[in-house]
Amino acid sequence: MEAHCPTPAATPKALHGPVPRGLYLITPDEPDTARLLARVSPLLGAGIALLQYRNKAANAVLKLEQATALQALCAQAGVPLVINDDLVLARHVGAAGAHLGEDDGDIAAARAALGADAIVGASCYDEIERAERAVVAGASYVAFGTFFPTATKAPTRRATPQLLRDAKSLGVPLAAIGGITPDNARPLVGA
């Protein structure tokens, strides 16, 4: 499971949805639903702020099964669930929102479909301009990365701590992603 740390922006001005501050976890590509739930369940009680369901290897049936089960667990724990790349699935299971990459749909359309109180995240990679457009379109938070080598994605773009410092002016929470560990997180949290 990858950990990502949203950091609060300096002055919220375009925040849509209740984006909690803290550790933001993303599920692994786990084909076994029972194992996924067993891995996630103890973490929900450990103070995480947000869980993103992401399973790039699953078919639609498995995604529905897993997202439904995770939504029930998250609701019990009071942890918002965000669905990666799938606005329709997010709506269907009653998730708190959706996270969209550059090829996953329009942020403004997601905001309109999910409503003003939903959490809508946007992957912005290493591009401040993409983040600016996402915020204008209604993103609740923006994610940058990868920052460090990671086994879950081929790093074609590399973000820097300076990008996080520059993005504070966007007025939404920021998430740092990609290869973050307790040993290398300090410069990102500081930024």
Side-chain angles (χ1 to χ4, degrees):
M1 204 162 303
E2 262 191 64
H4 308 287
C5 298
T7 57
T11 54
K13 59 185 173 193
L15 183 62
H16 299 283
V19 180
R21 178 184 173 163
L23 192 62
Y24 169 176
L25 297 182
I26 298 178
T27 63
D29 290 347
E30 173 59 61
D32 183 301
T33 301
R35 180 170 155 74
L36 176 65
L37 298 177
R39 291 176 75 183
V40 168
S41 186
L43 301 173
L44 295 177
I48 70 164
L50 188 72
L51 179 71
Q52 182 185 128
Y53 172 61
R54 178 186 185 272
N55 190 339
K56 296 285 190 178
N59 63 32
V61 173
L62 182 59
K63 284 182 181 181
L64 177 59
E65 174 187 311
Q66 291 183 339
T68 300
L70 286 170
Q71 174 56 28
L73 273 181
C74 286
Q76 282 181 332
V79 173
L81 175 68
V82 173
I83 306 295
N84 187 69
D85 297 348
D86 197 330
L87 173 63
V88 174
L89 182 59
R91 287 184 68 188
H92 185 77
V93 301
H99 181 93
L100 303 176
E102 66 186 332
D103 299 321
D104 302 323
D106 181 65
I107 297 294
R111 169 63 55 214
L114 294 174
D117 292 332
I119 298 172
V120 178
S123 290
C124 298
Y125 314 99
D126 61 347
E127 300 176 42
I128 191 75
E129 297 82 10
R130 179 179 298 282
E132 291 166 348
R133 290 189 305 270
V135 170
V136 168
S140 306
Y141 70 91
V142 293
F144 295 102
T146 63
F147 283 91
F148 303 103
T150 175
T152 60
K153 286 189 175 190
T156 58
R157 304 173 195 179
R158 188 55 60 92
T160 65
Q162 183 60 46
L163 181 60
L164 293 173
R165 287 188 284 276
D166 294 345
K168 284 182 182 181
S169 66
L170 295 174
V172 298
L174 311 174
I177 65 171
I180 301 167
T181 68
D183 294 330
N184 65 19
R186 189 173 303 281
L188 302 179
V189 172

